[in-house]
């Protein structure tokens, strides 16, 4: 497929995004990491810079473009802070400092901007994260739809980072709770379905990762944002060269999210979560991990599947359906939901 | 002045931006630095994180919104790479790694995006800077005017950073070359003055800083971007509690930039440079520094003024004019030129 213009699919976080990122960045840049740190080739949730004594700084950036800026369950500030913490957490880092860069449309209400920044601040305060500085720009009326909030996170990794390529055959996949709620909330807002009661799950998942680290029951982790668990599981599979089998009956999804997905024809497994994590652990630690998560607020944590030696030429993700069938859970394609995060 | 909506002046990098940044960030956030590193209170060109052995990592972020995306002398990719290097350089850091976050409007030509990214890459290659990763988003047609390019720079500082508050009475201000060319080029493009031949000076000023460091002839530095040298000199004055006197006859400005400023009524000292630095050094090193700069490609480097003990209650910047008068060079106010960087 030859394209000469950027499409919404290029930004949806699925198949087309991956292709474009490889074409524009991975194939083009020469220097892609510092020492044995994580960089552009790995395309993990954070990059790392080794700083000696087995420690690294983890660094991540995301530009949030979510529409609407205020949504059921949060706003763009809460989303930016949560997403940044989550990108650090899933690599095994403890967040220490953030920077931000906000671009606002001329005429945007000052009180809304204060509300957004206050949401961001509340989460930084809660996790004792410093804000070191940032940038602030204004674009003339009609040249930007409201606001883009870019958030940069810096964390400290003690020991080896939890990379996506750490998954081995036999490992178990745990989810911390019901998936797809953020995507469903944004989709409902964008479609004007105000009677659909679905709230974004947007929040830091660092507490779950800390539980798993304390138990030494974590080999890899991902927050399933753009492209949902379909994308996240395929990234594990491709980077670790394993097949992954997940069981539909085990995957927690809220009833209202399921209903909205059916109504709109969107695959629930491609819908973004912003407050859940997939945690990969060895099979002998999985039950202990799930119990610890459930005892500590993640009441719907579940073992949803496992990794296996690939049966075909290409690693794949398989979904065992409720009715007993098996379907390949592909990397999501197409436009999905625009401006989800 | 009470405002309830964001205005273009809030993003112009002058007086209104400073007020807003203090109100929205500096007064609001609690944790603002890591250890004795530079953070939100200092509002310097980069923040720093101490990593032991007298070393720090410097970190900076800027979101580039320049319009037009391609301009005489460069494009948004070259500008982003140069600006990021410059923010690290003026704090005394050597750049080591970058990350980027690009938000593009649906329908943007892929070949233009490649051109932009290639401009960014060329500068990273030249300075041996790794690209560690980033983010990529697409916004639907008409919700963003073309592209916002956010660039994050990470550098290494060996020893004490060159902060804006290092200037002492008696110190000398050196400029590496003619000022205001970037602002003038963008202004001419935006006004459709295609017969005005003025090119942006956009480029890394790291070579000039390296010369000054090698001579041990640098106490502080700034790249005079938004708000021009008027803003940069006032930041030195306020943060170091010194008056600064600069001499109009000494300040290099290209003829075509002067002409454009006169024609449009814009103060030439408030026009952005993106390829010049102000370097502060002690009076006994200034001549040696200027000679070394001139020998190494900065042929129009000049001593433009000096710092003095403040004569009034508030530190100020004074301009000795060509006709022998003295005017206060105020912090720029108002809208200046939108989307300059």
């Amino acid at each position: 497929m030859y394209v000469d213009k950027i499409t919404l699919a290029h930004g949806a976080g699925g198949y087309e995004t991956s292709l474009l990122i490889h074409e524009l960045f991975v194939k083009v840049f020469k220097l892609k990491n510092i020492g044995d740190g994580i960089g552009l080739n790995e395309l993990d949730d954070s990059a790392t810079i080794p700083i000696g004594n087995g420690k690294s700084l983890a660094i991540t950036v995301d530009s949030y473009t979510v529409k609407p800026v205020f949504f059921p369950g949060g706003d763009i500030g809460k989303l930016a802070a949560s997403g940044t913490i989550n990108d650090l957490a899933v690599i095994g880092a403890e967040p220490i400092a953030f920077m931000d860069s906000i671009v606002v449309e001329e005429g945007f209400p000052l009180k809304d901007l204060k509300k957004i920044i206050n949401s961001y601040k509340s989460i930084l305060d809660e996790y004792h994260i410093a804000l070191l500085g940032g940038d602030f720009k204004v674009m003339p009326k009609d040249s930007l739809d409201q606001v883009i909030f870019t958030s940069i996170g810096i964390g400290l990794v003690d020991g080896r980072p939890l990379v996506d390529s750490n998954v081995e055959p036999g490992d178990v996949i745990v989810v911390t709770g019901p998936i797809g709620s953020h995507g469903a909330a944004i989709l409902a807002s964008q479609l004007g379905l105000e009677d659909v009661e679905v709230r974004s799950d947007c929040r830091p998942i660092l507490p779950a990762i800390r539980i798993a680290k304390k138990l030494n029951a974590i080999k890899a982790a991902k927050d399933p944002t753009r492209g949902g668990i379909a994308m996240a599981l395929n990234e594990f599979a491709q980077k670790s060269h394993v097949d992954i089998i997940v069981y539909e009956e085990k995957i927690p999804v809220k009833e209202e999210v399921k209903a909205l997905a059916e109504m709109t024809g969107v695959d629930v497994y491609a819908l973004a979560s912003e407050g859940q994590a997939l945690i990969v652990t060895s099979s002998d630690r999985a039950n202990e991990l799930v119990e610890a998560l459930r005892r500590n607020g993640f009441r719907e944590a579940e073992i949803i599947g496992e990794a296996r030696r690939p049966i075909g030429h290409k690693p794949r993700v398989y979904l065992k359906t409720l009715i007993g069938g098996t379907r390949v859970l592909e990397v999501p394609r197409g436009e999905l939901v625009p401006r989800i995060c």
Side-chain angles (χ1 to χ4, degrees), chain A:
Chain A
M1 175 190 64
Y2 178 76
V3 289
D4 61 355
K5 285 186 195 315
I6 295 296
T7 66
L8 286 176
H10 286 129
Y15 176 77
E16 295 86 349
T17 304
S18 293
L19 279 191
L20 191 71
I21 297 295
H22 276 87
E23 188 182 341
L24 291 183
F25 298 99
V26 182
K27 284 188 196 163
V28 169
F29 284 79
K30 284 189 212 163
L31 290 170
K32 301 186 229 186
N33 54 286
I34 298 292
D36 59 356
I38 299 166
L40 188 57
N41 279 324
E42 291 77 18
L43 289 176
D44 220 302
D45 298 278
S46 292
T48 63
I49 296 179
I51 55 167
N53 296 321
K55 291 190 166 72
S56 315
L57 283 184
I59 304 175
T60 182
V61 57
D62 276 290
S63 289
Y64 293 88
T65 63
V66 66
K67 182 175 185 170
V69 166
F70 297 93
F71 49 80
D75 62 42
I76 195 171
K78 183 183 180 192
L79 181 65
S82 302
T84 305
I85 290 178
N86 294 348
D87 279 341
L88 294 170
V90 294
I91 202 105
E94 284 290 323
I96 56 172
F98 279 14
M99 296 184 82
D100 72 284
S101 187
I102 298 178
V103 186
V104 191
E105 183 183 17
E106 177 190 12
F108 191 75
L110 186 59
K111 72 167 183 3
D112 287 348
L113 187 59
K114 284 186 177 174
K115 228 186 270 179
I116 288 166
I117 293 171
N118 203 56
S119 301
Y120 190 72
K121 172 206 178 299
S122 298
I123 291 183
L124 269 65
D125 281 351
E126 193 182 338
Y127 288 88
H128 308 290
I129 299 166
L131 187 75
L132 301 186
D135 190 19
F136 185 82
K137 296 272 164 72
V138 180
M139 281 172 77
K141 192 115 196 88
D142 298 326
S143 59
L144 171 65
D145 184 10
Q146 299 205 307
V147 53
I148 295 180
F149 194 130
T150 300
S151 176
I152 295 98
I154 300 145
L156 191 64
V157 187
D158 198 352
R160 290 179 58 188
L162 304 171
V163 290
D164 296 343
S165 56
N166 276 354
V167 188
E168 290 173 290
D171 287 345
V172 166
I173 319 288
V174 171
V175 71
T176 53
I179 57 144
S181 301
H182 178 74
I186 301 301
L187 184 60
S189 291
Q190 288 183 359
L191 296 176
L193 305 171
E194 275 140 32
D195 47 336
V196 177
E197 292 218 357
V198 48
R199 288 171 67 80
S200 166
D201 59 351
C202 143
R203 62 169 176 176
I205 49 92
L206 183 59
I209 303 293
R210 282 177 177 162
I211 291 166
K213 284 205 290 192
K214 208 168 156 188
L215 290 174
N216 202 11
I218 184 165
K219 295 173 73 173
K222 279 197 95 66
D223 55 331
T225 58
R226 281 189 294 177
I229 68 164
M231 189 69 201
L233 292 170
N234 271 287
E235 286 191 65
F236 280 141
Q238 286 168 15
K239 292 184 187 173
S240 294
H241 302 284
V242 293
D243 279 354
I244 290 177
I245 294 89
V246 290
Y247 303 90
E248 189 159 32
E249 57 175 343
K250 293 291 183 188
I251 301 172
V253 187
K254 283 184 190 295
E255 280 311 319
E256 60 269 28
V257 173
K258 240 181 245 175
L260 184 80
E262 268 164 35
M263 192 167 84
T264 55
V266 174
D267 187 353
V268 71
Y269 302 119
L271 275 177
S273 303
E274 291 283 352
Q276 303 298 347
L278 297 170
I279 301 177
V280 181
T281 187
S282 54
S283 58
D284 58 331
R285 310 310 307 271
N287 285 323
E288 197 187 341
L289 172 60
V290 169
E291 280 159 28
L293 287 170
R294 287 182 181 170
R295 273 198 313 274
N296 289 283
F298 299 89
R299 280 172 299 180
E300 295 176 71
E302 275 292 354
I303 294 175
I304 61 165
E306 69 264 351
R308 294 195 190 160
R309 220 168 290 282
I311 53 170
H313 170 65
K314 217 180 110 185
R316 284 195 179 280
V317 179
Y318 298 96
L319 179 76
K320 295 280 185 187
T321 63
L322 286 175
I323 52 167
T326 300
R327 75 167 168 104
V328 175
L329 203 56
E330 303 271 12
V331 171
R333 284 177 189 245
E335 297 195 358
L336 309 174
V337 187
R339 297 184 70 178
I340 197 90
C341 62

